[in-house]
Amino acid sequence: MIRIPFAQLEQAFRKVLLQLNFPEKRAALCAHIFASNSRDGVHSHGLNRFPVFVQYVKEGLVHPDAEPTLLEKNGLLETWTGNLGAGMYNATACMQRAIELAQANGIGCVAIQNTNHWMRGGTYGWQAANAGCIGICFTNAIAGMPAWGGVDPVLGNNPLVIAVPRAEGHIVLDMAMSQFSYGKMQEHELKQEQLPVVGGYDDNGELTTDPVVIRNNKRALPIGFWKGSGLAMVLDVLLVALSGGRSTGQITADKKEFGVSQCFIALHKPDLHAALIEEILTYTKGSTPATRGGRIAYPGENTLRKRLQSEKEGVLVNEEIWAQVQAM
């Protein structure tokens, strides 16, 4: 791993996207999101994911110039189609629309079908929080874990994001329904490391910490066992009910993850009772760490810490993948 300036990383992404016929502003937006994900320590959806994104564009699964379009409006709930455009671009537009609805009415909800991978879901939680809104968003994904009691992978990890604005640093929960996202498992595989706790099953049905085995057999462990399994399925149900888009089963049938469904909710309330929020954080962070020198962090706190470090020291990247992107 090496460190490089944020601007250099962003510029490298932008250069490649322009070569792939992305419009100037869209290339800049997508490049910024990829670079920001790496800056914040989410390597799995920053530099590490970029070559896959480029390949999907070349295969025609991501359309560089596609614009999301409105399909249906029901009060403060809108349904859009992404027209297989870049997932980061579509997601940013949908969350912005939800924010506009919320700022005018208190709440806004935008569901989108036929879009693509949004990379780090937390990006859109931060977007809502920066606009002074509570943000909630979720997506479905290609199957990567079995339903509880089953063997075959039939559920997506279906990430869920909840963000709450806060002057001292937003609270942003960004989590997959699997114990480890596949991107996080890739990080451990690249470092030739085992997972810190069990993350799935091996081919014999035994729990394992080997990311290579889990990434190959697609038998990731749901968070909370049966609870994560149930939540993953219900999020998929909500997404197709709201968007009319493709389910995890339909996405999986194509063998590659594209044409997914997503939902973006924003809530705007001038007074979010900041003092009560601080009371919760103080109470929680005041608990005794389980290990000497350990610390309790609220969701999003470690992201801010890594962001500040990256801005000071440079963005940490995988040297091999960085060389690959520079050669594109």
Side-chain angles (χ1 to χ4, degrees):
M1 302 289 281
I2 59 173
R3 288 190 181 274
I4 61 172
F6 177 85
Q8 184 180 355
L9 181 63
E10 186 177 33
Q11 178 58 28
F13 291 145
R14 178 178 168 276
K15 177 183 176 182
V16 174
L17 294 175
L18 288 173
Q19 292 172 348
L20 293 170
N21 298 318
F22 275 73
E24 175 68 39
K25 290 184 178 180
R26 192 167 316 178
L29 172 67
C30 294
H32 182 77
I33 289 175
F34 272 114
S36 297
N37 292 350
S38 284
R39 176 201 62 191
D40 290 354
V42 189
H43 309 291
S44 58
H45 293 90
L47 175 68
N48 293 8
R49 179 83 186 192
F50 189 73
V52 176
F53 178 77
V54 169
Q55 186 60 37
Y56 272 38
V57 174
K58 291 180 177 179
E59 292 178 7
L61 303 179
V62 176
H63 300 170
D65 58 351
E67 286 284 345
T69 52
L70 179 66
L71 294 178
E72 185 180 9
K73 183 174 178 64
N74 293 288
L76 304 181
L77 169 61
E78 295 183 356
T79 305
W80 291 65
T81 177
N83 295 309
L84 285 182
M88 304 84 71
Y89 178 77
N90 285 343
T92 300
C94 286
M95 181 53 86
Q96 182 56 40
R97 179 57 183 154
I99 290 168
E100 292 169 357
L101 290 168
Q103 289 175 336
N105 303 283
I107 188 171
C109 179
V110 175
I112 185 169
Q113 57 169 263
N114 203 32
T115 187
N116 276 305
H117 198 306
W118 62 9
M119 301 304 141
R120 174 181 57 155
T123 296
Y124 317 104
W126 289 97
Q127 179 185 352
N130 286 339
C133 291
I134 291 171
I136 303 170
C137 49
F138 44 98
T139 180
N140 57 13
I142 197 168
M145 61 183 186
W148 188 252
V151 173
D152 302 322
V154 293
L155 299 175
N157 61 20
N158 299 351
L160 170 66
V161 177
I162 302 175
V164 179
R166 175 173 171 266
E168 297 80 5
H170 306 320
I171 301 167
V172 182
L173 175 70
D174 179 5
M175 66 179 207
M177 293 300 106
S178 52
Q179 184 66 43
F180 295 93
S181 70
Y182 275 81
K184 181 61 68 174
M185 286 190 279
Q186 181 198 33
E187 287 185 31
H188 285 277
E189 181 178 344
L190 288 170
K191 297 176 183 177
Q192 298 183 336
E193 296 176 345
Q194 293 288 295
L195 302 173
V197 297
V198 293
Y201 301 91
D202 63 20
D203 295 338
N204 297 318
E206 300 294 331
L207 290 170
T208 180
T209 59
D210 189 334
V212 178
V213 170
I214 302 167
R215 291 185 73 219
N216 285 335
N217 67 16
K218 308 296 184 187
R219 296 182 65 184
L221 180 68
I223 58 170
F225 303 106
W226 52 88
K227 296 179 182 179
S229 172
L231 184 54
M233 185 180 70
V234 168
L235 288 176
D236 195 26
V237 170
L238 281 174
L239 285 162
V240 298
L242 292 171
S243 73
R246 302 207 303 167
S247 66
T248 287
Q250 293 170 320
I251 296 163
T252 305
D254 283 330
K255 309 298 182 185
K256 292 190 176 182
E257 191 176 69
F258 68 97
V260 303
S261 307
Q262 295 167 354
C263 182
F264 302 85
I265 302 169
L267 302 110
H268 184 260
K269 182 175 183 292
D271 179 13
L272 289 177
H273 304 289
L276 296 179
I277 292 174
E278 293 307 308
E279 181 180 311
I280 294 171
L281 297 184
T282 300
Y283 175 73
T284 305
K285 288 170 63 66
S287 60
T288 304
T291 59
R292 177 173 294 184
R295 56 195 294 274
I296 311 299
Y298 63 81
E301 185 175 4
N302 287 334
T303 298
L304 287 174
R305 179 176 55 81
K306 291 176 182 176
R307 182 180 300 176
L308 292 173
Q309 182 182 11
S310 294
E311 290 171 350
K312 180 180 179 181
E313 302 175 7
V315 180
L316 194 64
V317 300
N318 180 284
E319 187 172 8
E320 182 179 345
I321 301 177
W322 172 234
Q324 181 183 348
V325 170
Q326 287 182 298
M328 288 179 176

